[in-house]
Amino acid sequence: MKRLNSQLQDDGAPAELILLLRTLLAGCKEISFRVSQGALAGVLGSTLSENVQGETQKKLDVISNQILKDILQESGYVKAISSEEEDDVVGCHPNGNYLVSFDPLDGSSNTDINSLIGTIFSITHAPQWMEPDDPSAFIQPGTQAVAAGYVLYGPSTMLALTTGKGTHIYTLDKTHGGFLLTTPNIRIPEQTSEYSINASNQRHWQPHIQNYISDLIAGTQGPRKKDFNMRWVAAMVGDIHRILTRGGIFMYPYDEREPDKAGKLRLLYEANPMAFLVEQAGGTADTGTGRIMEVMPTDIHQRVPVLIGSKDEVATCLEYSA
């Protein structure tokens, strides 16, 4: 099996980006070990603090964030980082060529039940005329990303990664500590019969989304004339990994409870990197009003609605709002 380095070289990734990715993934491997220890390491449960989103932080959230922050700050490749768990941008090396945004532990509420969690990240070029702690450096659309991916901590530790030359899936070989290519150029089926959404929020969705989901639930007796299954991991990394593997549509639509917040998922830390991965695998990623990767951020913690997955099914969903 091909090693990560070899595939990145074949994809034409610059040497410094390869070194940065190796550094980032070294941190993810340490997180993987901490996750695998579970209760034995005393890292489960919640802290007494909240992150900038107002969410109670899990112990592993805090630990994972610190691991990635430390290793990236020390690398010399990174000018600044933005994290879901940090209130502000964290300046790193003034001459670093890259910016890294990450969700250190997506789905952390799953830690206490030993279910799927993961790390999501994206990398862009750093504007050299800005100071390392200037948040405006991160005000770039997703189309400017040079790499994005996630590490899924499940029965095996897996990496989905793109540098703009297709999406590849790797598996961590714990016998030697390296990621090996297990599915090159993965492709998402254009059609699907699976959908993923938090159905408990249905009463808060816009009418066209409620109508779309109602037609899926109606199955063969409804206008779609086929049965659909719902799958919900409650961690975006798990749901997107399933979509990459066998197709589907994942939705976190606009929620009318908080009109000033466009959606639940964060543009920089979740929506953009997943959109990059899915588009490179032949899928579609939309906010409901346009391509996710073309959204110009206004804030590092900005949220957006998300409709992402199999090309034909996302297109059908969008037709309901026409």
Side-chain angles (χ1 to χ4, degrees), residues 18-125:
I18 294 175
L19 292 171
L20 171 54
L21 285 166
R22 289 180 59 183
T23 300
L24 176 62
L25 292 173
C28 291
K29 284 188 279 188
E30 183 174 347
I31 295 170
S32 176
F33 173 74
R34 300 291 186 99
V35 168
S36 70
Q37 292 293 97
L40 300 177
V43 294
L44 302 185
S46 300
T47 68
L48 297 178
S49 61
E50 293 183 344
N51 64 15
V52 69
Q53 315 293 339
E55 301 160 334
T56 301
Q57 292 176 300
K58 296 286 184 176
K59 291 178 182 177
L60 267 173
D61 263 336
V62 177
I63 292 169
S64 301
N65 185 66
Q66 195 64 48
I67 288 171
L68 294 180
K69 185 165 69 169
D70 288 348
I71 202 166
L72 292 173
Q73 281 182 309
E74 295 168 3
S75 71
Y77 309 124
V78 180
K79 188 164 188 173
I81 61 174
S82 62
S83 166
E84 184 177 312
E85 301 302 324
E86 298 283 341
D87 292 353
D88 302 304
V89 165
V90 178
C92 298
H93 197 286
N95 296 320
N97 289 320
Y98 294 101
L99 303 173
V100 182
S101 300
F102 57 83
D103 180 350
L105 205 63
D106 180 66
S108 58
S109 61
N110 282 344
T111 56
D112 294 338
I113 60 168
N114 199 32
S115 188
L116 290 177
I117 51 180
T119 298
I120 310 172
F121 60 88
S122 64
I123 301 171
T124 59
H125 287 296

Side-chain angles (χ1 to χ4, degrees), residues 211-228:
N211 293 338
Y212 169 70
I213 295 298
S214 294
D215 286 351
L216 298 187
I217 293 171
T220 54
Q221 298 176 337
R224 298 298 303 277
K225 302 299 182 184
K226 74 173 182 178
D227 290 326
F228 286 79

Side-chain angles (χ1 to χ4, degrees), residues 226-296:
K226 74 173 182 178
D227 290 326
F228 286 79
N229 289 323
M230 191 181 88
R231 298 287 182 261
W232 182 249
V233 176
M236 192 182 190
V237 284
D239 285 304
I240 296 299
H241 189 75
R242 184 184 60 252
I243 285 170
L244 284 174
T245 303
R246 69 187 193 199
I249 181 171
F250 171 85
M251 292 167 282
Y252 236 118
Y254 177 82
D255 189 316
E256 294 183 333
R257 281 176 294 184
E258 297 182 90
D260 59 324
K261 293 181 180 178
K264 175 181 172 62
L265 299 177
R266 290 77 178 179
L267 178 62
L268 265 63
Y269 318 120
E270 296 163 319
N272 267 339
M274 292 307 199
F276 195 5
L277 287 167
V278 165
E279 286 190 0
Q280 286 291 314
T284 299
D286 205 280
T287 64
T289 57
R291 185 183 175 204
I292 287 173
M293 291 182 68
E294 292 179 353
V295 174
M296 180 62 76

Side-chain angles (χ1 to χ4, degrees), residues 131-305:
E131 294 298 318
D133 60 352
D134 187 345
S136 62
F138 289 87
I139 306 304
Q140 304 182 39
T143 51
Q144 297 300 306
V146 296
Y150 63 77
V151 177
L152 180 69
Y153 310 119
S156 60
T157 296
M158 303 189 78
L159 163 68
L161 180 65
T162 183
T163 57
K165 298 291 180 63
T167 294
H168 309 305
I169 306 295
Y170 304 82
T171 302
L172 179 62
D173 182 353
K174 295 184 178 180
T175 60
H176 69 75
F179 283 97
L180 300 180
L181 181 66
T182 45
T183 310
N185 289 305
I186 197 164
R187 303 300 293 176
I188 299 172
E190 293 185 359
Q191 298 179 348
T192 185
S193 57
E194 288 189 346
Y195 68 101
S196 179
I197 196 167
N198 187 345
S200 66
N201 294 328
Q202 183 166 356
R203 66 193 184 279
H204 304 298
W205 302 332
Q206 293 171 302
H208 67 274
I209 294 293
Q210 294 197 38
N211 293 338
Y212 169 70
I213 295 298
S214 294
D215 286 351
L216 298 187
I217 293 171
T220 54
Q221 298 176 337
R224 298 298 303 277
K225 302 299 182 184
K226 74 173 182 178
D227 290 326
F228 286 79
N229 289 323
M230 191 181 88
R231 298 287 182 261
W232 182 249
V233 176
M236 192 182 190
V237 284
D239 285 304
I240 296 299
H241 189 75
R242 184 184 60 252
I243 285 170
L244 284 174
T245 303
R246 69 187 193 199
I249 181 171
F250 171 85
M251 292 167 282
Y252 236 118
Y254 177 82
D255 189 316
E256 294 183 333
R257 281 176 294 184
E258 297 182 90
D260 59 324
K261 293 181 180 178
K264 175 181 172 62
L265 299 177
R266 290 77 178 179
L267 178 62
L268 265 63
Y269 318 120
E270 296 163 319
N272 267 339
M274 292 307 199
F276 195 5
L277 287 167
V278 165
E279 286 190 0
Q280 286 291 314
T284 299
D286 205 280
T287 64
T289 57
R291 185 183 175 204
I292 287 173
M293 291 182 68
E294 292 179 353
V295 174
M296 180 62 76
T298 56
D299 179 80
I300 62 169
H301 296 298
Q302 180 177 344
R303 302 171 189 244
V304 293

